[in-house]
Amino acid sequence: MMIVLKPHLSEEEINQVVEKVKQVGLSPHISRGIERTVIGAIGSDAPSKKEIFESLPVVEKVVLILKEFKLVSRDFKPQDTIVKVRDVEIGGDEVVVMAGPCAVEKEKLLIEAAKAIQKAGAKILRGGAFKPRTSPYSFQGLGQDGLRYLAKAREETGLPIVTELMDARDIEVVAKYSDIIQIGARNSQNFTLLKEVGMVDKPVLLKRGLAGTVKELLMSAEYIRSQGNTQIILCERGIRTYEDSTRNTFDLSAIPVIKSLSHLPIIADPSHALGKRDLVPSMALAAVAAGAHGLMIEVHPNPAEALCDGPQAMYPDKFAELMKVCRRVAEAIGKRM
Ligand code: PEP
Ligand code: MN
């Protein structure tokens, strides 16, 4: 349930309510607005405790959140969440583009890609060091060396980096090197891993599962949020359907649906959704028009030689062209890019 406090309370008064929430066996989650503080009191028997809080003089009202996802819902927090990554803000008026190769390969190649995407206007560098591959015989990523190359590229360009975490045993090293920890589609419902990233103080980019529903994505985000991490970015990356003319089926409608249900930022990854580089631009533009807070796009200086996802990787010059048109679409709907 959501305990809405009266405006302008002192820290001590807020803390007394937080303590009371703990006393009755619920877990408190504080959300501070400009005027008012709201305390989410989570626990299966929350409804039976409603009256206890309604009777407190500092409480304005108590609202039960009927949806299964609670802390990530708009009911709990009506204002959009903005996730800050160094000096980049995701979730506000700027459409933030994350771009780079699927996998980190050679250091020089990564730096070349980083410079190209930066010049085109991307704000965050992507690249996988731990790769979730369908075949155990495919390139699995460079592991820690890949993380070091990413850090080097950040040092050279100033671009923050996003990279995937596949295994909880690597959480410390991935958190150490990255600015955003990516949880990929295949781990979207790895609840143990979700709880682990919920405990770190680092933004998390959570991708929609291979055949996940919007609700399942939001429940996964709830796992992260329930552990205390509020810095979550959602990502629509296409879902498996019977349609096989594209790698996945890009669910454009998920963007406005998620924006109506949740306060978390939602970005779109048309690269993994479409799977073919020539199809990426149209859906990137559509996603911006639909209100996505950002894009994730795979770009490789030499896609023919890419060790992973070459067919969907854009050439840097085509990516730069796309960025120009994206900017015009963003501006047409009152956003910046
Ligand atoms: C990726 O971003 O390289 C990736 C593996 O994406 P997804 O988890 O969406 O398949
Ligand atoms: Mn990829």
Side-chain angles (χ1 to χ4, degrees), residues 77 79-98 123-125 160-162 179-181 203-206 230-235 263-268 291-296 335-336:
K77 181 172 178 278
Q79 328 83 285
D80 288 347
T81 286
I82 294 186
V83 176
K84 255 198 112 179
V85 183
R86 293 183 179 241
D87 56 358
V88 183
E89 287 189 345
I90 302 157
D93 285 341
E94 183 179 356
V95 177
V96 176
V97 179
M98 310 178 185
K123 294 288 161 67
I124 295 173
L125 174 67
I161 54 188
V162 53
D179 299 292
I180 305 175
I181 300 175
V204 176
L205 174 73
L206 173 66
T230 57
Q231 311 167 80
I232 307 165
I233 304 155
L234 304 170
C235 180
H263 53 83
L264 295 175
I266 165 82
I267 70 161
H293 295 106
L295 296 171
M296 172 172 266
K335 291 197 176 179
R336 289 175 291 123

Side-chain angles (χ1 to χ4, degrees), residues 102-103 126 128 131-132 164 182-186 207-208 210 237 247 269 272 296 298 308-309:
C102 179
R126 65 145 287 142
K131 292 305 305 174
E164 181 163 354
Q182 178 171 324
I183 299 295
R186 289 152 193 82
K207 288 192 155 195
R208 184 171 178 178
L210 295 178
R237 48 78 73 205
R247 182 177 178 182
D269 171 352
H272 290 90
M296 172 172 266
E298 287 189 343
C308 182
D309 285 350

Side-chain angles (χ1 to χ4, degrees), residues 51-67:
E51 278 174 25
I52 300 175
F53 292 95
E54 276 171 339
S55 65
L56 298 179
V58 294
V59 170
E60 190 163 282
K61 61 177 175 178
V62 180
V63 184
L64 291 178
I65 304 176
L66 298 174
K67 293 191 181 75

Side-chain angles (χ1 to χ4, degrees), residues 129-179:
F130 297 96
K131 292 305 305 174
R133 304 304 300 275
T134 302
S135 165
Y137 309 118
S138 301
F139 176 59
Q140 304 283 306
L142 297 178
Q144 295 203 18
D145 281 342
L147 296 176
R148 282 189 277 275
Y149 296 168
L150 283 163
K152 189 80 198 300
R154 174 177 54 209
E155 210 178 289
E156 295 236 349
T157 58
L159 291 171
I161 54 188
V162 53
T163 195
E164 181 163 354
L165 170 70
M166 284 173 44
D167 187 321
R169 288 170 292 190
D170 298 316
I171 194 164
E172 261 181 50
V173 69
V174 171
K176 178 175 151 213
Y177 283 103
S178 64
D179 299 292

Side-chain angles (χ1 to χ4, degrees), residues 5 32 37 77 96 118 124 170 246 259 274 280 283:
L5 302 182
R32 291 172 200 274
T37 295
K77 181 172 178 278
V96 176
Q118 182 173 45
I124 295 173
D170 298 316
T246 50
K259 286 177 83 174
L274 280 300
V280 169
M283 288 303 110

